[in-house]
Amino acid sequence: MSAAADRVLILDFGSQYTQLIARRVREERVYCEIHPPTRDLAWIRNWKPSAVILSGGPCSVYGEGVPSADPGLLHLGVPVLGICYGMQLIAHLEGGDVRRAARREYGRAEIEILDPDILFSGFGRGEKVAAWMSHGDQVEVPPKGYRVMASTPTAPVAAFRAEHRPVFGVQFHPEVAHTPRGAEMLCNFLFEAAGCAPTWTTGSFIDSQVAAIRERVGSKDRAICALSGGVDSSVAAALVHGAIGDRLTAVFVDTGLLRKGERESVERTFRSHLGMTLRVVDASERFLERLRGVTDPEEKRRRIGHTFIDVFEEEARAIGGVRFLVQGTLYPDVIESVAQFGPAETIKTHHNVGGLRPDLPFELIEPLRELFKDEVRQVGRDLGLPEELIGRHPFPGPGLAVRILGEVTRERLDALREADAIFIEEIRAAGLYDEIWQAFAVLLPVHSVGVMGDQRTYQQVVALRAVTSLDGKTADWFPLPPEVLARISNRIINDVRGVNRVTYDVSSKPPATIEWE
């Protein structure tokens, strides 16, 4: 919870864009939290939000068992903004007319500003503004006491507001980049309608989390941190270390699924630079044995997650007095793993979330659970972590196991590790590493025909993946220069035994995910 006075409550009705709303609010230095729509009126009053945002969602307000809200929410005197389904819900609760649209709208649309009041402050009356639509239902007639603020040729009520209350609704999505002036609209809601102050910073987040961790852990209990060497777990470890000091032990498990030189790098950073208590456990044989014959990606994640906990339980017994397990889980991990807040679709199981054993012997501490990757990086900088670590590309907890499609074997791991190291080395040499959100190699479960030294070969295929992104929720492929791709391909084929073909992945997210499994 933020120490700042102003905070925004986002009720999640299942939109895949909900976390983008939170990002946009926090970018304006206003603290926010995402909660399920089942929060009752008493809880909301006690939480004391400065404003409430109702997200979009996949349902129809007339559907059976769909998420709703207490109508009293709209009469608390707290500014409310409904987005897409959130707008339709406001109209439905207030007696307006919501119907199936004669023509569904998905994608770019042009709205006309009819009333440049508050939400559209700074816009001209009659001005045409690009906006991103994604809806099947729409408001046909606004509730009594509401006025229309914007429209499109197919959606006569593209935005509305209550005449005498700070309640607003928009049919489009101001939170996405495809609504170019959406940030202005959100700022108008936050600062003009709600009167919020831009006071939330990563510094205030650190202060509040350190205090919360100290209170929860107490003065005697100990914690261990599942340290992977990546940004997320490293920042989580540093944050908890700042709260409880030497009662935190960082446990780094060499799973055998790591990138080249990973173990040595982690030991150097955490022992030499951070002075943190570190235990290194070589469990590579155990992980490889648990993965023997497994090809299903969800089963890989499940087995890896369970094996992690087995190892940590053993280490905890050796340390003694351990009650808590610290993990670097981020919000995108949560939203893609489980329908945490609303009826959002599960995309994949994250090993920190859905891959944990049901009889977990520890209480979890996940101090970064509601943060996005860029926020985590800034928290790390504020905590004094080296930029070499903070700027690293994300690396999945299950490691190379989910970058080897098919069975994971030592030979396949060795091949992928070398290919991946070459890829990263070359994009660094080309000065492109910091322009890319994430880059890695994937070993495919197919063989292809080739020719080497006038002889026919039938060997493995490596796919390269490099993407740009802000938070990992959406991503686009990075246009690597042809000469760089050629150099990488040539080196991999010549230097990695058993590989005779290299491909480049040019799919975006969505429809693909960043990782292949």
Side-chain angles (χ1 to χ4, degrees):
M1 185 179 295
S2 172
D6 292 313
R7 51 187 184 163
V8 174
L9 172 64
I10 301 171
L11 294 181
D12 181 9
F13 290 91
S15 172
Q16 295 291 342
Y17 296 141
T18 301
Q19 73 281 10
L20 293 181
I21 301 173
R23 278 192 55 80
R24 300 300 174 247
V25 173
R26 291 189 190 174
E27 284 169 1
E28 301 305 327
R29 295 176 58 199
V30 177
Y31 183 74
C32 63
E33 289 184 16
I34 299 171
H35 287 269
T38 50
R39 296 298 192 194
D40 61 27
L41 213 55
W43 185 94
I44 293 172
R45 282 197 190 97
N46 186 61
W47 202 79
K48 297 179 181 178
S50 302
V52 177
I53 297 177
L54 311 181
S55 83
C59 300
S60 167
V61 293
Y62 296 117
E64 188 174 340
V66 299
S68 188
D70 190 317
L73 172 64
L74 306 176
H75 297 270
L76 290 177
V78 175
V80 177
L81 172 62
I83 296 174
C84 197
Y85 178 84
M87 175 191 185
Q88 296 161 20
L89 182 60
I90 291 172
H92 180 59
L93 295 175
E94 295 276 88
D97 186 11
V98 180
R99 297 182 184 177
R100 177 67 63 182
R103 178 178 178 272
R104 296 182 299 173
E105 282 189 298
Y106 295 101
R108 182 186 172 91
E110 194 172 70
I111 64 170
E112 180 179 356
I113 307 300
L114 306 177
D115 183 355
D117 178 36
I118 300 183
L119 201 61
F120 299 112
S121 179
F123 293 71
R125 190 181 302 275
E127 183 176 352
K128 303 291 180 64
V129 180
W132 188 259
M133 293 284 193
S134 180
H135 67 97
D137 290 358
Q138 64 186 35
V139 178
E140 288 292 323
V141 180
K144 185 178 179 180
Y146 282 69
R147 68 175 186 262
V148 180
M149 303 183 74
S151 67
T152 75
T154 58
V157 188
F160 63 34
R161 70 153 297 177
E163 292 278 7
H164 304 297
R165 287 172 289 142
V167 178
F168 305 83
V170 292
Q171 184 59 72
F172 53 90
H173 289 271
E175 70 273 24
V176 303
H178 300 292
T179 302
R181 298 186 68 181
E184 292 178 57
M185 301 170 197
L186 288 174
C187 282
N188 286 339
F189 174 70
L190 294 171
F191 303 127
E192 293 203 28
C196 293
T199 55
W200 186 77
T201 64
T202 51
S204 66
F205 168 81
I206 291 169
D207 292 341
S208 63
Q209 280 296 317
V210 166
I213 292 165
R214 280 178 181 155
E215 181 178 356
R216 185 176 175 197
V217 175
S219 59
K220 296 181 179 178
D221 286 324
R222 303 185 65 86
I224 56 175
C225 179
L227 187 66
S228 71
V231 178
D232 307 338
S233 63
S234 299
V235 173
L239 192 57
V240 176
H241 184 256
I244 65 173
D246 290 342
R247 286 186 290 127
L248 171 71
T249 299
V251 178
F252 177 76
V253 179
D254 184 350
T255 63
L257 310 172
L258 305 173
R259 290 172 288 195
K260 189 175 182 179
E262 191 88 23
R263 177 173 173 172
E264 295 79 7
S265 174
V266 168
E267 290 194 76
R268 183 171 58 251
T269 299
F270 281 84
R271 286 201 169 117
S272 303
H273 297 294
L274 302 180
M276 195 178 297
T277 303
L278 176 67
R279 293 171 72 101
V280 177
V281 183
D282 187 347
S284 55
E285 290 297 335
R286 186 190 303 195
F287 277 87
L288 283 172
E289 181 59 34
R290 291 298 309 277
L291 291 169
R292 188 184 305 279
V294 178
T295 59
D296 178 73
E298 286 295 282
E299 182 63 15
K300 287 180 186 177
R301 290 175 180 272
R302 190 189 69 81
R303 292 194 181 201
I304 289 168
H306 290 194
T307 307
F308 262 109
I309 295 302
D310 291 340
V311 173
F312 291 136
E313 191 171 2
E314 293 168 10
E315 291 302 305
R317 282 197 297 267
I319 295 166
V322 174
R323 180 180 168 191
F324 298 95
L325 169 63
V326 179
Q327 292 197 131
T329 309
L330 306 191
Y331 183 70
D333 301 332
V334 174
I335 198 65
E336 289 193 345
S337 297
V338 288
Q340 178 72 9
F341 301 114
E345 187 71 19
T346 297
I347 307 300
K348 66 180 179 181
T349 296
H350 189 269
H351 81 287
N352 283 359
V353 185
L356 293 178
R357 235 178 38 213
D359 59 338
L360 185 68
F362 310 107
E363 292 183 40
L364 284 180
I365 295 178
E366 298 174 305
L368 311 177
R369 189 180 178 87
E370 301 301 331
L371 294 190
F372 299 97
K373 179 69 78 171
D374 58 328
E375 294 173 324
V376 171
R377 292 189 198 280
Q378 188 55 51
V379 168
R381 292 186 181 101
D382 290 350
L383 290 170
L385 294 178
E387 191 62 34
E388 171 191 352
L389 188 154
I390 294 300
R392 295 186 70 187
H393 290 180
F395 186 63
L400 300 181
V402 291
R403 293 177 178 174
I404 292 177
L405 277 62
E407 185 179 5
V408 178
T409 65
R410 187 175 298 281
E411 293 72 27
R412 299 189 79 202
L413 281 165
D414 289 343
L416 179 58
R417 216 179 328 263
E418 287 301 319
D420 187 77
I422 290 169
F423 187 22
I424 299 303
E425 183 180 316
E426 288 294 337
I427 62 173
R428 282 190 183 278
L432 299 173
Y433 186 85
D434 292 334
E435 295 182 36
I436 297 170
W437 161 269
Q438 190 171 5
F440 56 91
V442 180
L443 195 62
L444 303 187
V446 296
H447 285 64
S448 73
V449 173
V451 58
M452 291 182 177
D454 296 327
Q455 291 185 334
R456 178 186 184 275
T457 62
Y458 190 59
Q459 296 181 335
Q460 298 182 98
V461 180
V462 165
L464 304 178
R465 179 83 156 135
V467 299
T468 57
S469 180
L470 288 175
D471 50 36
K473 185 59 186 174
T474 60
D476 203 358
W477 61 278
F478 184 82
L480 280 171
E483 64 274 15
V484 176
L485 275 173
R487 193 160 54 245
I488 295 167
S489 175
N490 182 266
R491 281 195 60 193
I492 290 174
I493 291 172
N494 280 306
D495 296 350
V496 181
R497 185 178 297 276
V499 173
N500 69 354
R501 191 177 299 269
V502 173
T503 65
Y504 190 55
D505 184 347
V506 293
S507 49
S508 62
K509 176 186 180 180
T513 55
I514 295 177
E515 297 288 346
W516 278 50
E517 288 193 340

